[in-house]
Amino acid sequence: MRQRFGIRRVFSALGLSAMFGFAAQSYAATELTVYTAVEAEDLKRYVAEFNKDHPDIKVRWVRDSTGIITAKLLAEKNNPQADVIWGLAATSLLLMKNQDMLQPYAPKELEKLSPNFRDKDQTPAWVGMDAWMAAICFNTVEAKKHNLPKPTSWEDLTKPAYQGHIVMPNPASSGTGFLDISSWLQTFGEQQGWGYMDRLHANISRYTHSGSKPCKLAAAGEAAIGVSFAFRGAKLKKKGAPLELVFPTEGVGWEMEAAAIVKGTKKEAAAKTLMDWIVSEKANRMYNQGYAIVARPDIKKPVPYFPADPEAIMIDNDFAWAADNRKAILAQWQDRYDGKSDPK
């Protein structure tokens, strides 16, 4: 940040140099480029609170959906443009860890995180923030118009009655979409999982490039059913949308929002300060406003419209398997189903 100063000629060259050096030290802020897939309204809130504690660090964020941010980071592997990743799917960060793209760091109060919310290395390459889980956003008004029964399972969505009434995210663009298909492959087995998606595809009207958009479309009455995630559905229901949140009986897929320092950053000290704040009690309390499961189990509290025990309905997600097979899974999905995706 540049500052202009009116300097009278009476200052000597030495005095000018001393004053300018002091000013630069006192007023210059470090700018961190932060890549994220966090919902925009939440990110603004997080950054505002971070800057109350650290006004000397400016966050310049680059935000998009999970798939796009992941692809951007991988494309920049040999010339990193980001300093920190704050809020991206853990499967994406596992992929980057395997390609030696992350700078290991143990944030302050690391020991207070649940063991599931951190990389297993002694000095972790990434740490978790919160978990988001799949849900079906069911518009009761639209359902009544079309005489659609309320689904209770993933299998229900393949029934002929729902043909043309379902919207879900494209997994190549959306982390929510990827957690859906990777969880179906894990829950049903690979052969039966692809068979399930073939039958579901017949009922899909469109695939969006945003994980929250199917629920938004359902809330607006533009679709009867949106396969989305619970956080967005709960938020829209709280605002008065005619939605019911359905948590399918087979169990729901879930993902973890995580954070990491990008290897090669020239602003390591500021990046570590941000990472310390990301795992802090204050930050976790902010995550808990929308997410029922957060990295610090000592502070989590129930979230309206979520199940009382959300962890009981979450599948045993194999993040390593999902990360290792991500490229092959997406290639097969696109070959089979991409024809119904929204234009990019």
Side-chain angles (χ1 to χ4, degrees):
M1 180 185 295
R2 294 184 178 180
Q3 302 287 340
R4 292 187 176 181
F5 302 92
I7 308 298
R8 294 183 180 179
R9 293 184 180 180
V10 293
F11 285 116
S12 66
L14 180 61
L16 175 61
S17 176
M19 179 180 175
F20 199 85
F22 172 79
Q25 184 177 4
S26 300
Y27 294 97
T30 301
E31 181 176 270
L32 289 175
T33 298
V34 177
Y35 282 20
T36 183
V38 169
E39 293 291 299
E41 65 266 35
D42 286 331
L43 190 63
K44 290 177 183 177
R45 188 163 49 93
Y46 298 168
V47 170
E49 288 301 315
F50 170 71
N51 280 141
K52 288 180 182 178
D53 297 333
H54 300 283
D56 57 326
I57 299 175
K58 179 182 178 183
V59 174
R60 184 182 77 85
W61 71 76
V62 176
R63 189 207 168 271
D64 216 312
S65 61
T66 299
I68 293 171
I69 290 294
T70 301
K72 184 173 175 61
L73 284 159
L74 292 171
E76 295 170 356
K77 175 183 176 181
N78 296 323
N79 184 27
Q81 302 299 302
D83 299 299
V84 175
I85 302 163
W86 183 5
L88 192 64
T91 47
S92 293
L93 292 183
L94 279 166
L95 187 64
M96 290 166 205
K97 179 192 173 184
N98 292 341
Q99 297 195 32
D100 196 29
M101 295 171 60
L102 306 179
Q103 176 63 52
Y105 175 60
K108 295 175 182 176
E109 300 190 338
L110 175 68
E111 71 282 357
K112 295 188 178 181
L113 302 188
S114 166
N116 293 329
F117 277 78
R118 53 159 293 174
D119 179 33
K120 302 305 181 188
D121 291 353
Q122 184 173 359
T123 303
W126 57 268
V127 292
M129 300 159 50
D130 50 60
W132 84 92
M133 62 185 188
I136 297 170
C137 293
F138 181 70
N139 185 307
T140 54
V141 174
E142 289 301 305
K144 189 173 182 180
K145 284 182 188 176
H146 299 286
N147 198 28
L148 301 178
K150 180 180 174 180
T152 61
S153 67
W154 293 120
E155 187 61 39
D156 279 351
L157 297 184
T158 67
K159 292 178 178 179
Y162 297 112
Q163 186 172 6
H165 292 293
I166 303 173
V167 180
M168 76 164 280
N170 179 320
S173 307
S174 160
T176 303
F178 184 70
L179 78 82
D180 286 326
I181 67 169
S182 65
S183 69
W184 294 332
L185 292 171
Q186 292 180 65
T187 300
F188 302 133
E190 291 194 49
Q191 184 175 351
Q192 291 183 338
W194 287 114
Y196 168 74
M197 284 184 265
D198 286 343
R199 289 180 285 117
L200 177 64
H201 179 68
N203 287 348
I204 296 287
S205 64
R206 58 191 279 202
Y207 296 102
T208 68
H209 294 294
S210 159
S212 60
K213 191 167 184 178
C215 199
K216 291 178 180 178
L217 291 171
E222 295 181 45
I225 294 173
V227 177
S228 189
F229 58 102
F231 162 77
R232 179 52 61 192
K235 204 162 190 176
L236 290 167
K237 183 175 174 66
K238 188 176 181 180
K239 289 181 178 180
L243 295 178
E244 290 293 333
L245 293 188
V246 176
F247 300 94
T249 53
E250 300 96 334
V252 297
W254 61 285
E255 239 309 359
M256 186 189 308
E257 285 189 315
I261 297 174
V262 177
K263 191 170 186 178
T265 177
K266 295 179 174 61
K267 301 169 184 176
E268 190 171 327
K272 288 179 176 179
T273 297
L274 177 55
M275 289 292 290
D276 290 342
W277 194 88
I278 285 169
V279 305
S280 68
E281 178 180 343
K282 181 177 183 179
N284 272 257
R285 290 195 185 280
M286 295 187 73
Y287 308 150
N288 195 204
Q289 291 178 29
Y291 295 89
I293 302 168
V294 295
R296 293 178 65 141
D298 57 313
I299 65 99
K300 71 177 181 180
K301 62 181 181 180
V303 174
Y305 310 118
F306 275 65
D309 184 9
E311 292 175 82
I313 64 170
M314 291 160 59
I315 69 163
D316 185 12
N317 199 351
D318 188 339
F319 289 110
W321 177 87
D324 291 343
N325 291 281
R326 185 176 187 275
K327 186 175 181 180
I329 291 170
L330 291 178
Q332 187 167 172
W333 188 92
Q334 289 176 308
D335 185 57
R336 286 174 180 252
Y337 314 123
D338 207 21
K340 287 187 179 180
S341 292
D342 286 349
K344 290 186 178 178

